[in-house]
Amino acid sequence: MSASSHSSAASIGSVEAQRVEDALSLIAPKWTTWSAQTLAQQGSPMRVRDVATRLPFVSEQLVGKRLAQMHADGLVTRAADRHGAPYQLSAFGESLSRVHHALSDWSQANLSLGGQVAGAERIEDAVRRLHLRHSTAVIQVLDAGGPMRIVHIAEEAGLDNGFTRQRLNRLQVDGLVARTGPRHGDPYVLTDAGRALGPVYAAVERWSDPVAARNRSAPPTPVAAATRTHTGVPLGSDNIRTSAALRRSAAAPSALFSHAPQPHPRVPAAVTARSTPSRGR
């Protein structure tokens, strides 16, 4: 195994899974990346209507809700609490760019999304594959021990068998896990995309320091960020209505919403078939 492979594997196993998922849940809601990158490009406070103008495929009402949630999560600040006051990225929000780059690099190198995909949409697609609760723990177990059967994965991750099966099914659809054979009970392994997640997890964990500090100081009640795993616009008709705009948006400057292009690698057909961007959020 190469030195880079050892480094990636160590990063997957060494991160704190819940901390990573708490951080990812802040940027998982649809349009969070688009809004953050719009504010980053502007570099100065923007009102909701001005952000919405840059994102014509999103309603102004939804942009307002997303910015309000980002404000509650500490990603943006406001000059005042009055209605219509402009937003701008906080220092925490500005530091998100490192996570965006890690997600984009991983997606470019490991996922075949088909056609020209806007950079912000590529990042949001990557986050949707990674943020669900206990997905990181399952990936860590397989990275350390695979191939493994469900019962052994569940035991190592501290989960029940039914929930573990659900997670594995979702990770299969997302192209991060594969079965070693077609029979019921055949073991699971990580795909190349799953094994390459080390740098992404490391970047998210480094970025998550303020999230972890806030969670440690909070009373022992369920963390809101950890439960907002399905916040945003349901895929369904919204995906049909906006997919073309997301992929080739004249309103999304390439310098902002595209990462440095890299040639797509050859992806096994079995994985590519399970790695389409159209899925439940």
Side-chain angles (χ1 to χ4, degrees):
M1 184 181 292
S2 67
S4 61
S5 297
H6 278 296
S7 174
S8 176
S11 297
I12 289 177
S14 63
V15 299
E16 185 180 336
Q18 182 172 338
R19 178 173 171 177
V20 166
E21 290 165 1
D22 284 344
L24 285 172
S25 72
L26 298 185
I27 58 177
K30 185 66 176 171
W31 313 118
T32 298
T33 298
W34 290 87
S35 299
Q37 292 193 353
T38 299
L39 291 168
Q41 184 193 45
Q42 178 71 16
S44 60
M46 297 181 72
R47 289 180 168 81
V48 171
R49 65 173 178 270
D50 298 323
V51 176
T53 297
R54 302 283 187 91
L55 306 175
F57 35 80
V58 191
S59 71
E60 184 174 327
Q61 181 183 22
L62 182 53
V63 170
K65 289 181 179 179
R66 187 57 66 242
L67 287 169
Q69 184 61 62
M70 291 171 69
H71 181 258
D73 291 335
L75 297 173
V76 298
T77 60
R78 297 187 76 181
D81 289 333
R82 59 180 173 79
H83 178 74
Y87 291 90
Q88 66 183 67
L89 288 176
S90 63
F92 183 43
E94 289 176 350
S95 68
L96 185 57
S97 62
R98 294 190 293 272
V99 175
H100 284 172
H101 278 272
L103 288 163
S104 182
D105 286 344
W106 173 75
S107 176
Q108 290 277 1
N110 295 281
L111 303 179
S112 178
L113 302 186
Q116 180 183 349
V117 181
E121 180 66 5
R122 179 176 288 279
I123 291 166
E124 292 201 342
D125 173 85
V127 175
R128 286 193 295 272
R129 297 170 192 258
L130 302 176
H131 80 284
L132 293 180
R133 180 61 75 215
H134 302 306
S135 292
T136 308
V138 171
I139 288 171
Q140 286 179 322
V141 168
L142 284 172
D143 182 68
M148 298 178 71
R149 291 181 169 84
I150 287 179
V151 62
H152 298 132
I153 297 170
E155 181 179 359
E156 290 294 324
L159 306 171
D160 67 66
N161 291 350
F163 182 88
T164 302
R165 185 183 299 277
Q166 292 177 12
R167 272 296 162 268
L168 287 167
N169 288 341
R170 173 63 183 265
L171 290 168
Q172 276 189 277
V173 170
D174 288 338
L176 305 181
V177 167
R179 291 179 70 173
T180 57
R183 296 176 303 175
H184 177 76
D186 281 333
Y188 291 82
V189 295
L190 291 180
T191 63
D192 289 344
R195 287 191 294 270
L197 282 168
V200 174
Y201 285 150
V204 173
E205 187 173 50
R206 285 194 297 269
W207 175 73
S208 71
D209 284 340
V211 182
R214 183 173 61 196
N215 289 346
R216 284 194 297 268
S217 63
T221 55
V223 179
T227 61
R228 281 189 293 104
T229 55
H230 298 289
T231 305
V233 182
L235 189 55
S237 61
D238 174 74
N239 183 65
I240 297 172
R241 179 172 57 83
T242 66
S243 59
L246 292 173
R247 292 175 180 275
R248 299 180 179 85
S249 174
S254 59
L256 172 63
F257 296 112
S258 296
H259 195 53
Q262 301 177 17
H264 286 301
R266 294 183 63 84
V267 181
V271 174
T272 302
R274 294 192 291 266
S275 300
T276 58
S278 297
R279 62 179 59 77
R281 304 220 189 274

